[in-house]
Amino acid sequence: MPWKQITLGNVSITRVWEYFGSVEMTSDMFFPESSKEVWESGSGWLVPHFLDSGTNIVNSANQTWLLRSEDKTILVDTGVGNHKERPYAPVWSRLETDFLANLARAGVQPEDVDIVINTHLHIDHVGWNTYLDGQTWVPTVPNATYLMPKADLDGQLGATHAVELPFVFDLADRPELNGPAALLGPEQAPADLAARVHATWIRFARTGDPGWDPYDTDRRAIMRIDAEWSQTDDPRSKERQAWN
């Protein structure tokens, strides 16, 4: 069923269906830190819909919660999305679901949405924040205010795409790159960090040696770049293995 509605007080809550099916991973792969005992204790409600007791493969329900409260239309989480490359979760890669049609069946067009709440920023909770219009990714709900947990954005994403560029080109002290809404955030980076990163890139371009051990699939050595630099082998190993 693409949608189901309940009412709590003066708030209506509608489930807008996107996808239900196997994630093609066992429970210990999907949640590497979870114990067998935890899954067994929940088997009464997990089996058979969310866990196959024979194969231990997990099923997931990807959906959005549509809330109507007073004069506001709110979406809570936005699923996986269509046409998106998900190399670490191939079962969700380049989906073609009827999500927008299901949203319309629930009586809402994307431009009607006032607020989008992303409870956290995993790929299966933010996918419909954008959609592919021709060759361009554009906001799915163009008039909405987006609310996201501070913890997910307060340094927890690590070195996100393009954040290294001001350091590579030794421009991290530029005022427009620093501030609450700027690329590098409100806190000033260590004074010598940009100069050191810049010098490392120049060294690598000239010699092919960045100054730490080469990466290979045995050790998976990487350099953790921060106020203090430290080389480490295969960080977040269990998470990497879960998505392989």
Side-chain angles (χ1 to χ4, degrees):
M1 179 182 292
W3 57 272
K4 180 179 181 180
Q5 183 171 302
I6 63 173
T7 300
L8 299 175
N10 63 354
V11 179
S12 70
I13 304 172
T14 305
R15 179 179 65 184
V16 181
W17 197 268
E18 182 189 27
Y19 169 89
F20 178 83
S22 169
V23 299
E24 299 181 2
M25 287 186 280
T26 58
S27 59
D28 58 318
M29 293 174 62
F30 197 39
F31 293 97
E33 302 297 329
S34 64
S35 67
K36 181 180 178 181
E37 291 73 23
V38 168
W39 289 91
E40 289 177 345
S41 68
S43 61
W45 65 271
L46 289 170
V47 177
H49 299 296
F50 300 106
L51 183 67
D52 186 311
S53 59
T55 64
N56 205 33
I57 294 292
V58 176
N59 295 325
S60 75
N62 296 332
Q63 55 207 1
T64 290
W65 298 103
L66 165 63
L67 278 60
R68 295 179 177 91
S69 178
E70 297 180 352
D71 61 342
K72 298 297 183 184
T73 299
I74 304 165
L75 298 184
V76 179
D77 290 329
T78 60
V80 175
N82 278 0
H83 308 118
K84 298 195 171 182
E85 299 290 348
R86 304 295 193 193
Y88 301 113
V91 70
W92 292 334
S93 189
R94 301 189 67 81
L95 290 182
E96 292 191 30
T97 70
D98 292 330
F99 174 78
L100 291 181
N102 290 339
L103 185 65
R105 291 187 188 102
V108 173
Q109 296 298 321
E111 57 270 19
D112 300 333
V113 177
D114 300 295
I115 299 171
V116 173
I117 300 173
N118 294 127
T119 59
H120 59 287
L121 302 185
H122 287 177
I123 61 173
D124 54 330
H125 289 253
V126 301
W128 280 100
N129 284 5
T130 58
Y131 77 99
L132 190 61
D133 182 13
Q135 300 296 315
T136 304
W137 291 101
V138 298
T140 306
V141 284
N143 301 321
T145 297
Y146 288 78
L147 302 179
M148 303 173 186
K150 184 176 185 292
D152 275 354
L153 296 172
D154 192 18
Q156 299 304 307
L157 294 178
T160 56
H161 183 60
V163 77
E164 80 281 2
L165 294 180
F167 299 92
V168 171
F169 295 103
D170 199 4
L171 299 172
D173 59 347
R174 297 187 63 154
E176 62 268 30
L177 296 176
N178 295 270
L183 177 65
L184 299 182
E187 297 182 9
Q188 189 70 38
D192 65 339
L193 184 58
R196 186 175 177 186
V197 171
H198 179 71
T200 299
W201 275 67
I202 295 297
R203 172 179 173 171
F204 180 71
R206 287 175 174 170
T207 69
D209 178 12
W212 57 86
D213 294 341
Y215 184 90
D216 60 47
T217 55
D218 293 325
R219 287 183 54 201
R220 301 181 187 274
I222 63 100
M223 179 63 75
R224 190 184 302 276
I225 297 175
D226 205 329
E228 299 293 332
W229 292 33
S230 60
Q231 181 172 298
T232 184
D233 290 351
D234 202 9
R236 301 168 73 173
S237 173
K238 290 185 177 180
E239 182 177 334
R240 175 185 58 77
Q241 293 177 56
W243 293 115
N244 279 350

